[in-house]
Amino acid sequence: MSKKILITGGTGYIGSHTAVELIQKNYEVFLVDNFSNSHSSVLQGIKRITQIEPHFTKLELTDKQAVAEYFADHHDLDAVIHFAALKAVGESVEKPLLYYQNNLISLLHLLENMIEYQIPYLVFSSSCTVYGEPDKLPIKETAPIKPALSPYGNTKQISEEIIVDLTKAEDNFSAILLRYFNPIGAHPSGLIGELPIGIPNNLVPYITQTAAGIRDVLRIFGDDYDTPDGTCIRDYIHVVDLAKAHIAALERLINAENESNCEVFNIGTGRGHSVLEIVHTFEKVNHIKLNYIIDDRREGDVEKVWADNTKAQKILQWKPQFTIEDALRDAWQWEKNYRGIKT
Ligand code: UFG
């Protein structure tokens, strides 16, 4: 019998790619989403890639009653991968209550029901944002957690603490927290990818929308940082590699290989790239000239971060397979497919 896995935020960017990888490994996948930052057409993309239609329920995780009803109908789930959350840093500064309400209440509802129905395994979507401006690079999982730079970042820190506390209290509940660096790219089929609603906040969707002519110009936020070319450095990880890290984490829990009830892993490539490197690599691999300008720094941006991923490599036996070139090619392929651009 294949294991039944619930993916919250299942039609979102990382959730949909994880659904594909799970289906391809013969898991039975149950997706829930409220479509606040995704689209039902993603379900068709997943089906076209895998030939399997995932179970889907439109669900608002902040609705206690609705979540209780969902779990009453799906009490035989084996594990949960929890992606559903709001994630725009700037918006979280303007609407902190929305972020605390949405990200924390959803998590509490989910956990209450996992305990109620004895669903023992959780993989949680955390972020390198918990490290703030790092003292040492690359960042290890043991690096200190700094005061959060935004309400969004704070929701990730508090969520981690809630999960840690629960794993201490409940012997039969274990979790893996994955701290992602910057996910980019799209499924190599071009059938699913990142689909931000409105103006993108993140670099790569802004680049692909500029290349597609939807945005006039890419603004590079600052070129006077203490980095080789003056622009910020991030660790950009292909979304399919990131999705596969979730499978590795899930299987570690299911096979009871975890050494403690709550483990944490950095999921990044271990390499940093500057904003200008990303722009120029995008231009090179896709044979496109991007319209960009250098603008002021964006408030709250960390100068440079990249992961030490040796723990994930050793313990999860996970290793990124895609290059930055692959990721930027796949991102553009997806944007072109989605917009019907022929080149
Ligand atoms: N950038 C630009 N122009 C843009 C968009 C981004 O120059 O139009 C730059 C940013 O200044 C930054 C880099 O591109 O230097 C990456 O920015 P993103 O917005 O793509 O990603 P961030 O690193 O700011 O944010 C990501 C996640 C957040 C998470 C954060 C933790 O999106 O959810 O990492 O560091 F909180």
Side-chain angles (χ1 to χ4, degrees):
M1 273 268 288
S2 57
K3 298 266 188 233
K4 297 183 174 183
I5 315 296
L6 172 63
I7 305 182
T8 73
T11 50
Y13 177 40
I14 310 171
S16 57
H17 288 81
T18 302
V20 164
E21 297 304 314
L22 280 172
I23 294 169
Q24 289 178 336
K25 289 202 80 181
N26 294 319
Y27 288 94
E28 188 174 357
V29 167
F30 295 76
L31 310 183
V32 298
D33 208 297
N34 64 359
F35 294 137
S36 67
N37 193 27
S38 65
H39 204 272
S40 59
S41 61
V42 173
L43 294 166
Q44 294 313 311
I46 296 171
K47 188 177 170 193
R48 282 184 63 194
I49 297 168
T50 62
Q51 313 302 320
I52 286 178
E53 178 132 30
H55 307 281
F56 176 78
T57 306
K58 185 160 186 253
L59 182 64
E60 180 51 68
L61 286 173
T62 54
D63 181 340
K64 192 177 175 79
Q65 185 62 29
V67 180
E69 283 166 18
Y70 182 85
F71 275 89
D73 288 344
H74 298 84
H75 50 82
D76 57 346
L77 291 165
D78 292 287
V80 177
I81 307 183
H82 181 42
F83 294 103
L86 297 175
K87 59 166 189 175
V89 177
E91 184 187 53
S92 80
V93 175
E94 283 156 29
K95 300 177 184 168
L97 293 182
L98 176 70
Y99 272 67
Y100 290 115
Q101 177 80 20
N102 187 83
N103 292 4
L104 299 179
I105 303 292
S106 297
L107 175 67
L108 292 176
H109 289 163
L110 197 63
L111 295 175
E112 278 165 7
N113 284 280
M114 290 182 73
I115 299 304
E116 165 89 19
Y117 292 103
Q118 297 175 18
I119 300 166
Y121 308 124
L122 173 71
V123 179
F124 177 68
S125 165
S126 190
S127 165
C128 68
T129 193
V130 301
Y131 299 118
E133 184 86 59
D135 302 323
K136 264 207 320 218
L137 287 165
I139 310 176
K140 279 186 189 300
E141 289 82 352
T142 48
I145 302 296
K146 298 279 186 70
L149 295 170
S150 68
Y152 159 76
N154 209 17
T155 67
K156 290 294 174 192
Q157 291 188 359
I158 298 169
S159 297
E160 286 199 1
E161 288 171 6
I162 292 170
I163 295 166
V164 168
D165 286 345
L166 190 64
T167 58
K168 283 184 193 154
E170 300 284 339
D171 287 342
N172 296 321
F173 178 75
S174 36
I176 290 184
L177 315 175
L178 299 182
R179 292 182 182 151
Y180 317 151
F181 286 67
N182 288 53
I184 61 164
H187 194 269
S189 64
L191 293 170
I192 55 172
E194 192 166 6
L195 198 52
I197 290 179
I199 302 171
N201 291 305
N202 297 116
L203 179 63
V204 172
Y206 211 105
I207 289 177
T208 56
Q209 290 198 9
T210 306
I214 299 162
R215 311 281 155 211
D216 290 340
V217 58
L218 168 75
R219 294 184 299 139
I220 294 183
F221 298 136
D223 70 348
D224 56 353
Y225 286 96
D226 183 18
T227 60
D229 64 23
T231 63
C232 290
I233 295 181
R234 297 285 182 276
D235 182 335
Y236 295 92
I237 172 99
H238 194 296
V239 65
V240 172
D241 279 329
L242 177 57
K244 287 181 173 162
H246 292 78
I247 320 293
L250 182 74
E251 293 185 343
R252 180 166 170 83
L253 293 171
I254 289 175
N255 299 330
E257 289 162 352
N258 47 316
E259 280 158 19
S260 74
N261 267 7
C262 191
E263 295 178 320
V264 49
F265 296 94
N266 282 341
I267 306 297
T269 64
R271 289 196 52 197
H273 292 279
S274 73
V275 178
L276 275 173
E277 275 173 352
I278 296 295
V279 166
H280 293 142
T281 308
F282 181 89
E283 292 185 319
K284 188 166 145 228
V285 298
N286 296 312
H287 314 289
I288 286 178
K289 201 93 207 87
L290 262 185
N291 190 19
Y292 69 85
I293 54 162
I294 306 292
D295 206 341
D296 293 341
R297 289 181 176 200
R298 182 171 71 176
E299 208 186 319
D301 268 341
V302 167
E303 184 169 86
K304 43 189 176 227
V305 282
W306 61 92
D308 181 326
N309 66 7
T310 47
K311 185 177 175 194
Q313 292 214 34
K314 189 162 158 245
I315 295 180
L316 293 179
Q317 274 140 40
W318 165 89
K319 209 169 137 183
Q321 308 289 333
F322 292 93
T323 63
I324 195 82
E325 286 83 6
D326 296 331
L328 293 171
R329 211 178 286 119
D330 290 341
W332 179 229
Q333 181 62 32
W334 154 248
E335 186 79 48
K336 278 195 299 184
N337 265 9
Y338 185 72
R339 308 281 170 197
I341 297 170
K342 293 186 180 53
T343 51

